[in-house]
Amino acid sequence: MTNAEPPAPRTVVPIEPSLLIAEAFNQAQVTELRHSVTSCAHEAGLAGQQLDDFVLAVNELITNAVRHGGGQGRLRLWRLAGELVCEVADHGHGMSAQRLSDRARPAPDTAGGWGLWLARELSDTMAVETGEAGTIVRITTTLAAHVTHPADG
């Protein structure tokens, strides 16, 4: 990292050598970022329904960051111990404890409120840190054991 680059997002996970994407985004970049996530997740070994589910979960998180987290965010995607991990951070005003603890499926006629529920349902794990300075959501999906890093040949 050079001094000219923006500071790293708030996170407790160190940047790993397996970092695939580290990018700030706003509404205009959501589609392009989703395509980048799709390509990187596919290269990491996701395919079929698992790839579609993971990309949809990530899309929900980046859309939430834009809509509810100050209009922009930061995404990091990396491999770690047989998993693909995606972290989306924003600088909104955080979420209420009630919102975080609500794991019920939204009513079918509900126009909003599906993002976190979908991300939780479509990923293997989801963790959320939230407060006045913003929100960080981290999701994971398991990679197939036989997948090797493209550089490994």
Side-chain angles (χ1 to χ4, degrees):
M1 178 184 268
T2 66
N3 290 335
E5 292 183 48
R10 304 170 323 250
T11 182
V12 296
V13 176
I15 294 178
E16 298 292 328
S18 56
L19 185 67
L20 303 172
I21 299 174
E23 191 170 325
F25 63 89
N26 61 31
Q27 183 175 3
Q29 295 153 318
V30 167
T31 300
E32 180 182 336
L33 186 55
R34 185 178 62 246
H35 291 303
S36 295
V37 168
T38 302
S39 295
C40 288
H42 181 57
E43 277 294 313
L46 296 185
Q49 192 64 52
Q50 187 185 22
L51 174 63
D52 293 345
D53 289 351
F54 188 75
V55 171
L56 179 54
V58 171
N59 187 69
E60 291 298 323
L61 297 179
I62 60 180
T63 301
N64 277 355
V66 169
R67 287 185 182 158
H68 308 293
Q72 58 189 1
R74 186 156 183 88
L75 179 138
R76 293 190 329 129
L77 181 71
W78 69 95
R79 277 188 219 80
L80 180 66
E83 293 182 321
L84 190 59
V85 183
C86 183
E87 178 182 273
V88 176
D90 67 47
H91 295 289
H93 299 292
M95 290 183 273
S96 70
Q98 178 183 356
R99 176 75 181 106
L100 284 177
S101 65
D102 183 8
R103 295 184 184 252
R105 180 182 176 144
D109 58 350
T110 304
W114 287 88
L116 283 179
W117 182 84
L118 276 170
R120 187 178 287 113
E121 290 294 309
L122 298 174
S123 59
D124 291 341
T125 67
M126 184 172 95
V128 181
E129 288 178 44
T130 190
E132 291 295 317
T135 299
I136 300 172
V137 181
R138 187 176 303 120
I139 61 172
T140 66
T141 192
T142 303
L143 294 171
H146 67 279
V147 173
T148 59
H149 186 280
D152 295 338

